Amino acid sequence: MLNVPQRTGQGLTDGGSAGGWLDRLPADACPAGDMDDVRQGLPPSAERHDRGPGNRCPESGAAGAAASQVVTAVHLFLAAAEFIGLHHTEERLGDPARRIAAAHVEIADSGTYRHTAEELVFGARVAWRNASRCIGRLYWHSLSVRDRRDVTDAEGVAEASADHLREATRDGRIRAVITVLAPDEPGRPGPRIWNEQLIRYAGYPRPDGGVTGDPRNAGLTALARRLGWPGGPGTPFDVLPLVIQGVDDKPRWFALPDDAVLEVPLAHPEYTWWRGLGLRWHAVPALANMCLEIGGICYPAAPFNGWYMGTEIGARNLADADRYDLLPHIAARLGLDTRNDRSLWKDRALVELNRSVLHSFDRAGVTVTDHHTESRRFLDHLGREERKGRSVGADWSWIVPPISGSATPVFHRTYEEVERHPAYVHHPAARARACGEEAAPV
């Protein structure tokens, strides 16, 4: 097994992932400082959510408002009415007045309201459609929605998460899935999944200052150890346990069952020595710590996934200097001149690493897309939405792939960043928890 020295670096390297699904759009790297450092990295969607009408999420607020703070009933009324109106309009359900009135009665009586099953499905799918940093939105309408809003305890969340992975994996024929767990309610926050993704690899600090595994997850690895996790074998690819906080509970760790985690060993179509590096990656990218916000209601635990775009693994997770930092090692094995950047050794190593990912996933029969195909599909998505009279918000710096950008059609145009709801939103406290910050408020 390859044990490559890691650099712990501050923050991500330049250029965001252009992943085909939101989970491949990583949050800012775990900060070395305090919560102010986390807030400085808030994406535009989170900033909009923090100050927008209808925001009920107790973790929002640029100044770090207390978890118990909620917006006024008037704001929730407005957010509910806006969402219900959108649902009825797009699904051609007729006049929404009666449903809006019923939601308003619920809010007046209890301070919240419950979405119907149909509203939940619609809201989760449209939140994907609204994700301005996601290139893979062509298939937003096919998202499979698992309604688990009755689950509030940590054991139930762990079980639902494992079932989510099994359903999404399907022996490698990856399916886009979201599992929606209990929402926040007045005075009672819903459950939280501390992990950034359902499947992440541990990061073990070494005496030499490096990290064995994924440096991004060193903080959460340390927290899991403090909670009682004995640790894995100590390889660069030990699957982290889930750290889950149920309603009225403290965080606890839960090991993922083996049958819920499909991994792909990485080989190369030409270099026989490549397999000996011991590289691998998991098949399902399932983001776990973003809030699903629908009509002013916050679902803080709603893990969701699509399938990987190869560059997310080969050009970011394995290549970023503050992640696995494999380019120098790959270049050396390829015999490239690494003394000067003008030899383009990084570029050549990067291409071979990405070839390895696509080749290996294809050989294993696991769904993966490439950045050229996904770029064309994104333009198809733009065309479909425009024909329906809907503008598409997009962040150019995230839509353009991290390699060969100008060779893809998404490079040669501009986009408007439009913030819409429903939405998937990052909160500062969720980012802190993913870094293993035990003091992060709930």
Side-chain angles (χ1 to χ4, degrees):
M1 176 64 66
L2 178 67
N3 190 357
V4 182
Q6 307 293 334
R7 292 201 295 268
T8 56
Q10 299 295 320
L12 296 172
T13 55
D14 291 340
S17 168
W21 173 259
L22 202 64
D23 78 290
R24 277 99 66 180
L25 310 183
D28 292 345
C30 294
D34 58 17
M35 284 293 294
D36 289 337
D37 296 322
V38 181
R39 295 185 192 103
Q40 290 171 6
L42 276 173
S45 59
E47 292 169 357
R48 162 62 176 83
H49 186 79
D50 285 345
R51 62 176 179 266
N55 168 28
R56 300 190 65 257
C57 300
E59 295 183 299
S60 62
S68 61
Q69 181 180 6
V70 295
V71 297
T72 66
V74 172
H75 286 161
L76 184 55
F77 288 157
L78 294 174
E82 180 182 11
F83 167 70
I84 293 169
L86 177 68
H87 180 218
H88 278 243
T89 298
E90 290 201 12
E91 299 295 304
R92 299 179 180 179
L93 300 177
D95 187 353
R98 180 175 296 179
R99 172 60 184 136
I100 291 173
H104 284 186
V105 169
E106 284 189 73
I107 295 168
D109 289 344
S110 66
T112 188
Y113 71 105
R114 183 177 176 87
H115 292 125
T116 67
E118 293 77 15
E119 288 169 349
L120 187 71
V121 170
F122 176 78
R125 290 173 174 173
V126 173
W128 183 8
R129 189 180 79 194
N130 288 341
S132 64
R133 291 182 169 185
C134 177
I135 195 175
R137 287 175 269 170
L138 179 63
Y139 305 104
W140 67 272
H141 207 271
S142 66
L143 178 64
S144 175
V145 181
R146 304 173 70 240
D147 186 349
R148 298 293 185 272
R149 287 177 287 174
D150 58 324
V151 176
T152 61
D153 62 291
E155 291 87 351
V157 173
E159 182 179 353
S161 297
D163 287 342
H164 175 113
L165 289 171
R166 295 186 185 99
E167 181 172 333
T169 303
R170 300 192 304 168
D171 294 324
R173 294 172 291 112
I174 310 301
R175 181 184 188 185
V177 177
I178 183 170
T179 298
V180 184
L181 300 157
D184 284 338
E185 296 181 358
R188 192 187 190 195
R192 263 69 174 161
I193 301 173
W194 285 46
N195 307 58
E196 186 179 46
Q197 295 187 25
L198 292 183
I199 305 174
R200 277 300 207 192
Y201 294 120
Y204 303 106
R206 298 195 305 269
D208 63 3
V211 174
T212 295
D214 194 342
R216 184 180 183 87
N217 303 319
L220 191 64
T221 302
L223 172 64
R225 299 295 296 271
R226 293 196 298 271
L227 293 176
W229 181 53
T235 76
F237 299 99
D238 289 358
V239 175
L240 271 172
L242 295 178
V243 177
I244 298 172
Q245 188 166 6
V247 172
D248 302 324
D249 199 2
K250 295 181 179 180
R252 299 157 57 194
W253 69 273
F254 297 85
L256 281 168
D258 291 342
D259 69 337
V261 181
L262 176 63
E263 296 178 283
V264 178
L266 300 188
H268 192 279
E270 297 168 13
Y271 303 116
T272 57
W273 51 263
W274 198 284
R275 185 177 290 275
L277 297 175
L279 304 176
R280 64 179 183 265
W281 205 258
H282 56 89
V284 179
L287 193 68
N289 70 341
M290 289 188 80
C291 163
L292 169 61
E293 191 276 331
I294 302 174
I297 301 297
C298 179
Y299 298 95
F304 59 94
N305 74 275
W307 45 87
Y308 268 119
M309 189 162 77
T311 54
E312 301 167 67
I313 303 170
R316 299 305 309 274
N317 297 336
L318 294 177
D320 277 356
D322 57 354
R323 298 292 298 283
Y324 280 83
D325 194 23
L326 286 178
L327 295 187
H329 187 82
I330 297 295
R333 292 300 303 266
L334 292 171
L336 303 178
D337 181 2
T338 61
R339 294 173 298 178
N340 192 308
D341 286 346
R342 289 179 68 84
S343 69
L344 301 184
W345 65 268
K346 293 179 183 178
D347 308 73
R348 295 170 66 184
L350 194 62
V351 168
E352 297 307 327
L353 190 51
N354 280 271
R355 289 183 67 200
S356 167
V357 170
L358 295 175
H359 167 76
S360 302
F361 271 64
D362 287 345
R363 283 192 57 180
V366 174
T367 303
V368 69
T369 187
D370 64 87
H371 51 292
H372 296 287
T373 299
E374 210 58 43
S375 295
R376 292 192 295 270
R377 288 174 177 170
F378 182 69
L379 295 188
D380 290 342
H381 170 67
L382 291 183
R384 288 186 184 183
E385 290 300 298
E386 288 168 359
R387 287 191 294 273
K388 292 181 179 292
R390 296 192 291 254
S391 61
V392 177
D395 184 335
W396 188 95
S397 66
W398 289 74
I399 294 298
V400 175
I403 63 171
S404 306
S406 63
T408 65
V410 294
F411 178 91
H412 302 279
R413 58 167 294 163
T414 59
Y415 307 93
E416 181 182 3
E417 291 191 48
V418 181
E419 302 295 338
R420 291 196 177 90
H421 285 251
Y424 296 103
V425 181
H426 263 302
H427 292 301
R431 291 175 182 271
R433 282 193 294 271
C435 296
E437 296 286 344
E438 287 187 273
V442 175

